[in-house]
Amino acid sequence: MISEVEVDHNESSVEIKSAMHTWRYRHHFTYKADQGKNIIVQCNLCLPRVNLLSTSKTSTSNLKKHLDRTHLGCEAKPDVKRGRKKEEYNGEESRHCQLKKLKAEIISKCMTQTKIDELIFNFIVEDCQSFYVLEQPGFRKLVAGLSEGLRSMDRVTLFTKVDQGFSRMREELMEKLSSIQYVCTTADIWTANSRSFFGMTCHWIDKHSLERKSAALGFARLQGRITHDTIAGRIHDIHVAYNIETKVQTTVTDNGSPFISVFREFAVDSKESDDDIGFYENVSTILEGEPEQDMLLFLPTVQRCASHTLELIVTEDFWQAVSQGPMCQLHYSTMAKVYAVWNKCHHLQVGMDSAEEIGKMALVVPAVIRWNVEYCAVQKIVSLSERELTELCARLEVPRMQPEEMAFLKEYVTVFHPLAFALELFQAEQKCYLGLVIPTILSLKNKLNEQKDSATYLSGVINAIVVAIDLRFQELFASTEAKIATATTPQFRLLWMAASDREEMCAVLATEAAQMDPGTITEPNTSRSSSHTIETEDDFFSYGSVKPAIQIQQRGVMEEIRKYVEGTGKSLECLQDFPRMKQLFLKYNTTLPSTAPIQRLFSQKGNLVTSQRNFLTDDYFERIQLLRYNSNVCTLATE
């Protein structure tokens, strides 16, 4: 009996000859039997263990897979009959095995212990992970399996790397801030789990790309009674620590009473006498653990958060207007049903069918106390069809919306859509400048007034909202700094002003621009113009009139302002053609209109203050948060 497949011509069919007979690796198998469209063969490499394999008469893919998976080191000799060059087995590994070995070598070279420690450090800091993750057996096994046996660092090593990373980050940040001419800071206080923290962020505009840059300066623990002098001391200490006390244009805060008291007591006020301008003694109580000593305290001017002001308008002023109007009962009953839907979605145990139905509707349930989030949730309810809303109320067992209540909600969404859009503009950190506030508020008032005639339920409320906007933003509209910031923003220029006021604004811009000549910005010398050296008779004689050189300079400034005002470009890139306008933009638009960045510092990941982090000292807790926030502007890697 002939057992070899390549010489078994009698029992092999035509299909076998076309597949097995011409296959280069057929010498590794022995033919055994036919099985319909398949044949049974025995692997010679598996001997002395008998291993029978089945493969198609027209294909040898199963046998090839068996060789690749089980016998990686085998050398398949090419068939001489196919005209291929005959190669002798020299013990070399197959190509697949060589690639596998090469991959292992690359991993061993790339995944060093230093690299693993760096990746773990970034994982802990950037994702706000607990330090106790390093002690978990599963995490250690994961690191060892992915890194070919390398180990995870322990918590002691992590503390050391946090110290190194924080020192490097602080040095790098101070070096960046030393080259910045204008900065803006935001400050806020956050309380969670009976612990209070004071946070501060810093913002500036890159003078080359005109992009907004941000960094966190402080995340300090506040202990004891929080008073206005305590907050003032924290603000002052952070500014001094980073050497930016003379560069801060404004500090942006919310409208809370602590910050109002702080800047009423300590901020610069031009109306006060020189003896009272921002300097106070005996504030050593703000320095914890330090002996009493006299010191000078200076704070910059304050900028109220525009987004917080709008939220106060749409909450406090809106509720006051509704409570005094005829729509009080309708509004109360409508919002009570809306809140009932949200509460049921949060707390009640609904069946699987109800959960899937709510998921299909993509129902938005507000999880934080912010009006724009609540507005989006109401907007989603209004977008549901009548049948979907009826089914939702039935599944959640809440009162069904009446037609009049739905009409009220739809008008509520329509009327306050411009206000929600304005809030989104103010909270966009990268693209929002102080110059955006005045045009946004003016446009908001116009859009609200346009809806008075068509409003059925909220006509009287719209009037109250417009009056509240005028009252709460009165100080901003009277601010010369805000007007200059708006005028130097190419998107608006002087289009937002009345034609009769534009000449006066051009004069203000000329006065400011003349004092900020780009030729002297980098090397300011304020004494040169007042006490210059007398070299010629022309320098000696003075008749009290303006010199021709100064007249030429003023004409040059006015010419640049005229060209800028008449321009049509809306991109910030056009400021490159107007160096004086660019300098004014950098000075006055560095200020942010809202405290959204400091709120993001506090609310990142929602797990900053947990029971697992209560064992961290306040210093290490602050360092972790500053490293995480500043990873975009500073190097996070450690040595």
Side-chain angles (χ1 to χ4, degrees), residues 332-350:
Y332 178 80
S333 62
T334 303
M335 296 307 297
K337 293 180 180 180
V338 171
Y339 277 100
V341 172
W342 293 336
N343 291 335
K344 284 284 186 176
C345 292
H346 268 304
H347 304 294
L348 290 186
Q349 296 292 333
V350 296

PDB file of all heavy atoms in Angstrom, residues 332-350:
ATOM      1  N   TYR A 332     -45.530  77.775  37.647  1.00  0.00           N
ATOM      2  CA  TYR A 332     -45.270  76.886  38.785  1.00  0.00           C
ATOM      3  C   TYR A 332     -45.733  75.460  38.487  1.00  0.00           C
ATOM      4  O   TYR A 332     -44.995  74.497  38.743  1.00  0.00           O
ATOM      5  CB  TYR A 332     -45.985  77.422  40.019  1.00  0.00           C
ATOM      6  CG  TYR A 332     -45.808  76.539  41.236  1.00  0.00           C
ATOM      7  CD1 TYR A 332     -44.650  76.596  42.005  1.00  0.00           C
ATOM      8  CD2 TYR A 332     -46.809  75.647  41.622  1.00  0.00           C
ATOM      9  CE1 TYR A 332     -44.487  75.789  43.110  1.00  0.00           C
ATOM     10  CE2 TYR A 332     -46.655  74.834  42.727  1.00  0.00           C
ATOM     11  CZ  TYR A 332     -45.492  74.917  43.477  1.00  0.00           C
ATOM     12  OH  TYR A 332     -45.330  74.104  44.569  1.00  0.00           O
ATOM     13  N   SER A 333     -46.917  75.303  37.949  1.00  0.00           N
ATOM     14  CA  SER A 333     -47.436  73.962  37.670  1.00  0.00           C
ATOM     15  C   SER A 333     -46.628  73.270  36.567  1.00  0.00           C
ATOM     16  O   SER A 333     -46.361  72.061  36.634  1.00  0.00           O
ATOM     17  CB  SER A 333     -48.910  74.038  37.274  1.00  0.00           C
ATOM     18  OG  SER A 333     -49.076  74.790  36.076  1.00  0.00           O
ATOM     19  N   THR A 334     -46.212  74.031  35.563  1.00  0.00           N
ATOM     20  CA  THR A 334     -45.451  73.445  34.458  1.00  0.00           C
ATOM     21  C   THR A 334     -44.089  72.956  34.928  1.00  0.00           C
ATOM     22  O   THR A 334     -43.690  71.813  34.658  1.00  0.00           O
ATOM     23  CB  THR A 334     -45.280  74.467  33.334  1.00  0.00           C
ATOM     24  OG1 THR A 334     -46.561  74.929  32.905  1.00  0.00           O
ATOM     25  CG2 THR A 334     -44.554  73.854  32.142  1.00  0.00           C
ATOM     26  N   MET A 335     -43.369  73.807  35.629  1.00  0.00           N
ATOM     27  CA  MET A 335     -42.033  73.426  36.074  1.00  0.00           C
ATOM     28  C   MET A 335     -42.080  72.337  37.141  1.00  0.00           C
ATOM     29  O   MET A 335     -41.145  71.534  37.256  1.00  0.00           O
ATOM     30  CB  MET A 335     -41.286  74.647  36.610  1.00  0.00           C
ATOM     31  CG  MET A 335     -41.020  75.717  35.557  1.00  0.00           C
ATOM     32  SD  MET A 335     -40.179  75.087  34.076  1.00  0.00           S
ATOM     33  CE  MET A 335     -38.635  74.526  34.763  1.00  0.00           C
ATOM     34  N   ALA A 336     -43.175  72.285  37.917  1.00  0.00           N
ATOM     35  CA  ALA A 336     -43.309  71.209  38.904  1.00  0.00           C
ATOM     36  C   ALA A 336     -43.386  69.856  38.209  1.00  0.00           C
ATOM     37  O   ALA A 336     -42.783  68.868  38.660  1.00  0.00           O
ATOM     38  CB  ALA A 336     -44.544  71.446  39.764  1.00  0.00           C
ATOM     39  N   LYS A 337     -44.110  69.775  37.104  1.00  0.00           N
ATOM     40  CA  LYS A 337     -44.196  68.517  36.358  1.00  0.00           C
ATOM     41  C   LYS A 337     -42.858  68.180  35.690  1.00  0.00           C
ATOM     42  O   LYS A 337     -42.475  67.013  35.616  1.00  0.00           O
ATOM     43  CB  LYS A 337     -45.303  68.610  35.315  1.00  0.00           C
ATOM     44  CG  LYS A 337     -46.702  68.704  35.918  1.00  0.00           C
ATOM     45  CD  LYS A 337     -47.776  68.784  34.853  1.00  0.00           C
ATOM     46  CE  LYS A 337     -49.150  68.867  35.481  1.00  0.00           C
ATOM     47  NZ  LYS A 337     -50.238  68.951  34.469  1.00  0.00           N
ATOM     48  N   VAL A 338     -42.177  69.202  35.204  1.00  0.00           N
ATOM     49  CA  VAL A 338     -40.871  68.964  34.586  1.00  0.00           C
ATOM     50  C   VAL A 338     -39.886  68.415  35.616  1.00  0.00           C
ATOM     51  O   VAL A 338     -39.156  67.446  35.359  1.00  0.00           O
ATOM     52  CB  VAL A 338     -40.336  70.266  33.953  1.00  0.00           C
ATOM     53  CG1 VAL A 338     -38.892  70.083  33.511  1.00  0.00           C
ATOM     54  CG2 VAL A 338     -41.205  70.665  32.763  1.00  0.00           C
ATOM     55  N   TYR A 339     -39.850  69.039  36.792  1.00  0.00           N
ATOM     56  CA  TYR A 339     -38.951  68.553  37.842  1.00  0.00           C
ATOM     57  C   TYR A 339     -39.353  67.160  38.314  1.00  0.00           C
ATOM     58  O   TYR A 339     -38.495  66.364  38.715  1.00  0.00           O
ATOM     59  CB  TYR A 339     -38.945  69.521  39.022  1.00  0.00           C
ATOM     60  CG  TYR A 339     -38.007  70.690  38.834  1.00  0.00           C
ATOM     61  CD1 TYR A 339     -38.484  71.938  38.436  1.00  0.00           C
ATOM     62  CD2 TYR A 339     -36.642  70.558  39.048  1.00  0.00           C
ATOM     63  CE1 TYR A 339     -37.626  73.009  38.264  1.00  0.00           C
ATOM     64  CE2 TYR A 339     -35.776  71.618  38.883  1.00  0.00           C
ATOM     65  CZ  TYR A 339     -36.271  72.848  38.486  1.00  0.00           C
ATOM     66  OH  TYR A 339     -35.414  73.900  38.311  1.00  0.00           O
ATOM     67  N   ALA A 340     -40.647  66.852  38.284  1.00  0.00           N
ATOM     68  CA  ALA A 340     -41.085  65.511  38.665  1.00  0.00           C
ATOM     69  C   ALA A 340     -40.535  64.467  37.696  1.00  0.00           C
ATOM     70  O   ALA A 340     -40.119  63.379  38.105  1.00  0.00           O
ATOM     71  CB  ALA A 340     -42.615  65.462  38.704  1.00  0.00           C
ATOM     72  N   VAL A 341     -40.498  64.791  36.412  1.00  0.00           N
ATOM     73  CA  VAL A 341     -39.926  63.872  35.419  1.00  0.00           C
ATOM     74  C   VAL A 341     -38.445  63.662  35.691  1.00  0.00           C
ATOM     75  O   VAL A 341     -37.945  62.525  35.684  1.00  0.00           O
ATOM     76  CB  VAL A 341     -40.155  64.424  33.993  1.00  0.00           C
ATOM     77  CG1 VAL A 341     -39.399  63.582  32.967  1.00  0.00           C
ATOM     78  CG2 VAL A 341     -41.642  64.442  33.661  1.00  0.00           C
ATOM     79  N   TRP A 342     -37.722  64.735  35.955  1.00  0.00           N
ATOM     80  CA  TRP A 342     -36.286  64.611  36.224  1.00  0.00           C
ATOM     81  C   TRP A 342     -36.022  63.806  37.498  1.00  0.00           C
ATOM     82  O   TRP A 342     -35.125  62.965  37.534  1.00  0.00           O
ATOM     83  CB  TRP A 342     -35.663  65.993  36.348  1.00  0.00           C
ATOM     84  CG  TRP A 342     -35.680  66.762  35.061  1.00  0.00           C
ATOM     85  CD1 TRP A 342     -35.739  66.249  33.802  1.00  0.00           C
ATOM     86  CD2 TRP A 342     -35.623  68.183  34.898  1.00  0.00           C
ATOM     87  NE1 TRP A 342     -35.742  67.250  32.868  1.00  0.00           N
ATOM     88  CE2 TRP A 342     -35.666  68.448  33.508  1.00  0.00           C
ATOM     89  CE3 TRP A 342     -35.562  69.254  35.777  1.00  0.00           C
ATOM     90  CZ2 TRP A 342     -35.632  69.747  33.000  1.00  0.00           C
ATOM     91  CZ3 TRP A 342     -35.518  70.544  35.273  1.00  0.00           C
ATOM     92  CH2 TRP A 342     -35.557  70.788  33.897  1.00  0.00           C
ATOM     93  N   ASN A 343     -36.788  64.068  38.548  1.00  0.00           N
ATOM     94  CA  ASN A 343     -36.580  63.361  39.810  1.00  0.00           C
ATOM     95  C   ASN A 343     -36.865  61.871  39.660  1.00  0.00           C
ATOM     96  O   ASN A 343     -36.152  61.034  40.232  1.00  0.00           O
ATOM     97  CB  ASN A 343     -37.468  63.958  40.895  1.00  0.00           C
ATOM     98  CG  ASN A 343     -37.028  65.356  41.297  1.00  0.00           C
ATOM     99  OD1 ASN A 343     -35.862  65.721  41.152  1.00  0.00           O
ATOM    100  ND2 ASN A 343     -37.961  66.163  41.781  1.00  0.00           N
ATOM    101  N   LYS A 344     -37.895  61.529  38.908  1.00  0.00           N
ATOM    102  CA  LYS A 344     -38.203  60.111  38.694  1.00  0.00           C
ATOM    103  C   LYS A 344     -37.073  59.421  37.929  1.00  0.00           C
ATOM    104  O   LYS A 344     -36.698  58.292  38.234  1.00  0.00           O
ATOM    105  CB  LYS A 344     -39.520  59.980  37.915  1.00  0.00           C
ATOM    106  CG  LYS A 344     -40.768  60.243  38.743  1.00  0.00           C
ATOM    107  CD  LYS A 344     -41.076  59.062  39.647  1.00  0.00           C
ATOM    108  CE  LYS A 344     -42.392  59.275  40.364  1.00  0.00           C
ATOM    109  NZ  LYS A 344     -42.764  58.100  41.182  1.00  0.00           N
ATOM    110  N   CYS A 345     -36.557  60.109  36.938  1.00  0.00           N
ATOM    111  CA  CYS A 345     -35.460  59.522  36.166  1.00  0.00           C
ATOM    112  C   CYS A 345     -34.220  59.321  37.033  1.00  0.00           C
ATOM    113  O   CYS A 345     -33.426  58.408  36.801  1.00  0.00           O
ATOM    114  CB  CYS A 345     -35.119  60.409  34.972  1.00  0.00           C
ATOM    115  SG  CYS A 345     -36.399  60.469  33.708  1.00  0.00           S
ATOM    116  N   HIS A 346     -34.060  60.172  38.039  1.00  0.00           N
ATOM    117  CA  HIS A 346     -32.888  60.063  38.905  1.00  0.00           C
ATOM    118  C   HIS A 346     -33.041  58.979  39.965  1.00  0.00           C
ATOM    119  O   HIS A 346     -32.123  58.200  40.205  1.00  0.00           O
ATOM    120  CB  HIS A 346     -32.634  61.403  39.610  1.00  0.00           C
ATOM    121  CG  HIS A 346     -31.688  62.300  38.851  1.00  0.00           C
ATOM    122  ND1 HIS A 346     -30.423  61.916  38.486  1.00  0.00           N
ATOM    123  CD2 HIS A 346     -31.842  63.565  38.389  1.00  0.00           C
ATOM    124  CE1 HIS A 346     -29.819  62.907  37.841  1.00  0.00           C
ATOM    125  NE2 HIS A 346     -30.667  63.914  37.765  1.00  0.00           N
ATOM    126  N   HIS A 347     -34.188  58.936  40.608  1.00  0.00           N
ATOM    127  CA  HIS A 347     -34.299  58.175  41.841  1.00  0.00           C
ATOM    128  C   HIS A 347     -35.181  56.935  41.765  1.00  0.00           C
ATOM    129  O   HIS A 347     -34.927  55.979  42.485  1.00  0.00           O
ATOM    130  CB  HIS A 347     -34.825  59.085  42.960  1.00  0.00           C
ATOM    131  CG  HIS A 347     -33.991  60.317  43.168  1.00  0.00           C
ATOM    132  ND1 HIS A 347     -32.691  60.266  43.620  1.00  0.00           N
ATOM    133  CD2 HIS A 347     -34.255  61.636  42.956  1.00  0.00           C
ATOM    134  CE1 HIS A 347     -32.201  61.500  43.712  1.00  0.00           C
ATOM    135  NE2 HIS A 347     -33.119  62.339  43.303  1.00  0.00           N
ATOM    136  N   LEU A 348     -36.217  56.962  40.948  1.00  0.00           N
ATOM    137  CA  LEU A 348     -37.133  55.829  40.951  1.00  0.00           C
ATOM    138  C   LEU A 348     -36.570  54.651  40.184  1.00  0.00           C
ATOM    139  O   LEU A 348     -35.838  54.809  39.211  1.00  0.00           O
ATOM    140  CB  LEU A 348     -38.474  56.232  40.356  1.00  0.00           C
ATOM    141  CG  LEU A 348     -39.322  57.208  41.213  1.00  0.00           C
ATOM    142  CD1 LEU A 348     -40.669  57.397  40.578  1.00  0.00           C
ATOM    143  CD2 LEU A 348     -39.478  56.712  42.637  1.00  0.00           C
ATOM    144  N   GLN A 349     -36.914  53.461  40.602  1.00  0.00           N
ATOM    145  CA  GLN A 349     -36.499  52.246  39.919  1.00  0.00           C
ATOM    146  C   GLN A 349     -37.515  51.961  38.806  1.00  0.00           C
ATOM    147  O   GLN A 349     -38.624  51.519  39.072  1.00  0.00           O
ATOM    148  CB  GLN A 349     -36.462  51.060  40.901  1.00  0.00           C
ATOM    149  CG  GLN A 349     -35.437  51.203  42.005  1.00  0.00           C
ATOM    150  CD  GLN A 349     -34.024  51.140  41.459  1.00  0.00           C
ATOM    151  OE1 GLN A 349     -33.786  50.531  40.431  1.00  0.00           O
ATOM    152  NE2 GLN A 349     -33.101  51.777  42.158  1.00  0.00           N
ATOM    153  N   VAL A 350     -37.129  52.209  37.576  1.00  0.00           N
ATOM    154  CA  VAL A 350     -37.995  51.948  36.438  1.00  0.00           C
ATOM    155  C   VAL A 350     -37.609  50.632  35.816  1.00  0.00           C
ATOM    156  O   VAL A 350     -36.485  50.155  35.959  1.00  0.00           O
ATOM    157  CB  VAL A 350     -37.893  53.085  35.396  1.00  0.00           C
ATOM    158  CG1 VAL A 350     -38.383  54.385  35.977  1.00  0.00           C
ATOM    159  CG2 VAL A 350     -36.470  53.223  34.908  1.00  0.00           C
TER     160      VAL A 350
END
